[in-house]
Amino acid sequence: MNTKTKIGEYIKEKRIEKSLTVEEIAERTGTAAAQVEKWESGERYPGVFQLEPLCRVLGCTVTQLQSGTDDADADILILELLKNWNVAGEFFLRSLEYF
């Protein structure tokens, strides 16, 4: 399953869990119902400006949404990835000093 599909299924699962319609999600996130349907089908990701309102409506964190799971370990995984990225980024920046 690709990431877009996993995120889309998560959005749909949370929407149904909250007994909301696609139209209600669209209204509360300031987007069109057709856009929400594209998120749920995995055709598109929610835009950066829809993330916060979407998470608020669905009752999840951005990390949970982006990982497509309520698993608390997802937050830990993301933090580890960011920490590793920062280490790699620092190494890269230091290597530029030699050029």
Side-chain angles (χ1 to χ4, degrees):
M1 174 184 316
N2 70 36
T3 304
K4 283 184 185 177
T5 302
K6 188 173 183 179
I7 292 171
E9 287 180 1
Y10 182 79
I11 293 170
K12 186 173 185 175
E13 175 186 311
K14 297 301 271 184
R15 176 179 61 78
I16 291 169
E17 196 177 282
K18 299 277 187 188
S19 301
L20 296 168
T21 65
V22 168
E23 290 76 17
E24 289 171 320
I25 295 288
E27 183 179 313
R28 294 179 187 189
T29 58
T31 192
Q35 193 66 33
V36 175
E37 290 171 351
K38 288 179 182 179
W39 299 341
E40 289 188 356
S41 70
E43 188 177 330
R44 289 193 162 275
Y45 287 118
V48 68
F49 296 110
Q50 283 87 32
L51 285 177
E52 190 273 327
L54 180 60
C55 289
R56 189 172 356 101
V57 170
L58 297 178
C60 66
T61 66
V62 172
T63 303
Q64 289 170 322
L65 178 67
Q66 291 178 329
S67 66
T69 181
D70 285 335
D71 189 358
D73 291 337
D75 288 330
I76 294 168
L77 175 63
I78 296 296
L79 289 174
E80 284 299 313
L81 289 171
L82 287 173
K83 185 169 46 172
N84 291 337
W85 184 84
N86 283 335
V87 169
E90 287 177 30
F91 176 77
F92 175 74
L93 290 175
R94 285 187 192 142
S95 68
L96 290 177
E97 292 174 4
Y98 296 104
F99 294 100

